[in-house]
Amino acid sequence: MTSVPTPIPSRTQYVLEEIKRRILTGQLTPGQALVETELAAQFGVSKTPVREALKTLAGTGLVVMSQYKGVTVRMVDADMAREVYDVRLLLEPEALKRAVRRGASLDAAQAALTRADEATDTAERSLANREFHRALYLPCGNPLLGRMLDEVRDQAALVSAVAWAADPSWEREAAEHREILRLALAGDADGAGRALHAHIASFVRRAFPEAEPLTENRAQDQEGQA
């Protein structure tokens, strides 16, 4: 018998989405304390939906709950960036190749790319970029693969928010996005996969030079043994 997930109450969902938005747009910074009473007052709700929202965010890796420090926005360092982007490097290019090979529609990716180009602020552009990547991997034909990538989306966005705050690279990434989509629309699954892999790897390399992706470490090890 399959269990049915319990719906999140509307107030909790509202608080959850608003805290997430503030984290991913840099309004709430890594290491910042998230105090239930303060957040409840800001949102005009009781502490219960705030507490439930924070528990959910802890499960997605955006916040950390500590017995001594309370709840804080997750810190981003080279190790964290490497772990998250290593998962993306392993799974995302393969998902895109599968989507292209099965002739899936990429209209949603094109629409997200247009929204990113027309964005008037960082938050809007960041959201559109996240939607672009999701629109590339979601139609891969394997729902489990899509859900696995969804699980690291928020953590990847947190890494990106920290990197962009230090060194904005929107224009370069936009050009890379356009090339990825061009190859995908042309039906070049392998080319699109390689371009996406290079895009993901180059971003984390620029943002965290010391965070060489684990996949690249393994590839270099194998080359040395060949």
Side-chain angles (χ1 to χ4, degrees):
M1 181 176 178
T2 303
S3 60
V4 178
T6 303
I8 298 177
S10 58
R11 288 187 178 181
T12 300
Q13 187 66 45
Y14 163 70
V15 173
L16 171 65
E17 293 301 326
E18 183 57 23
I19 294 175
K20 180 192 292 188
R21 184 188 68 79
R22 294 183 184 186
I23 292 173
L24 298 183
T25 57
Q27 290 179 263
L28 294 171
T29 57
Q32 184 171 342
L34 301 174
V35 182
E36 287 182 12
T37 53
E38 294 178 359
L39 291 170
Q42 290 176 27
F43 298 131
V45 298
S46 68
K47 291 195 297 183
T48 299
V50 174
R51 185 177 304 117
E52 293 304 312
L54 292 176
K55 287 180 181 178
T56 300
L57 290 170
T60 66
L62 280 184
V63 307
V64 176
M65 306 184 95
S66 168
Q67 180 179 353
Y68 303 103
K69 295 183 179 180
V71 184
T72 57
V73 179
R74 182 173 182 177
M75 294 293 294
V76 174
D77 58 20
D79 288 339
M80 183 265 200
R82 182 182 66 173
E83 291 172 4
V84 171
Y85 273 70
D86 188 51
V87 172
R88 292 188 66 192
L89 284 168
L90 286 168
L91 301 182
E92 207 167 316
E94 177 61 27
L96 172 58
K97 287 190 289 186
R98 293 186 179 198
V100 173
R101 286 170 182 157
R102 66 194 299 264
S105 171
L106 296 175
D107 289 348
Q110 180 65 72
L113 192 59
T114 300
R115 286 196 299 276
D117 287 340
E118 297 175 349
T120 57
D121 59 44
T122 300
E124 186 179 355
R125 189 181 295 111
S126 176
L127 179 60
N129 280 343
R130 295 181 71 211
E131 291 174 350
F132 172 77
H133 278 273
R134 190 169 193 261
L136 292 180
Y137 68 69
L138 205 58
C140 67
N142 185 329
L144 178 58
L145 178 55
R147 289 196 297 273
M148 291 173 70
L149 282 164
D150 273 350
E151 288 183 4
V152 299
R153 279 184 84 221
D154 289 342
Q155 295 178 58
L158 180 58
V159 173
S160 297
V162 171
W164 287 328
D167 181 22
S169 54
W170 300 108
E171 292 184 3
R172 173 171 177 170
E173 289 162 47
E176 292 173 354
H177 283 175
R178 285 190 285 271
E179 177 62 9
I180 292 166
L181 185 59
R182 184 190 70 78
L183 291 166
L185 291 174
D188 186 351
D190 290 334
R194 285 193 298 270
L196 179 57
H197 188 285
H199 167 69
I200 296 171
S202 66
F203 177 82
V204 74
R205 190 182 298 117
R206 294 194 309 271
F208 298 91
E210 67 275 35
E212 185 178 28
L214 296 172
T215 48
E216 294 192 3
N217 286 336
R218 284 196 289 269
Q220 290 173 358
D221 288 344
Q222 291 172 357
E223 289 176 2
Q225 295 169 1

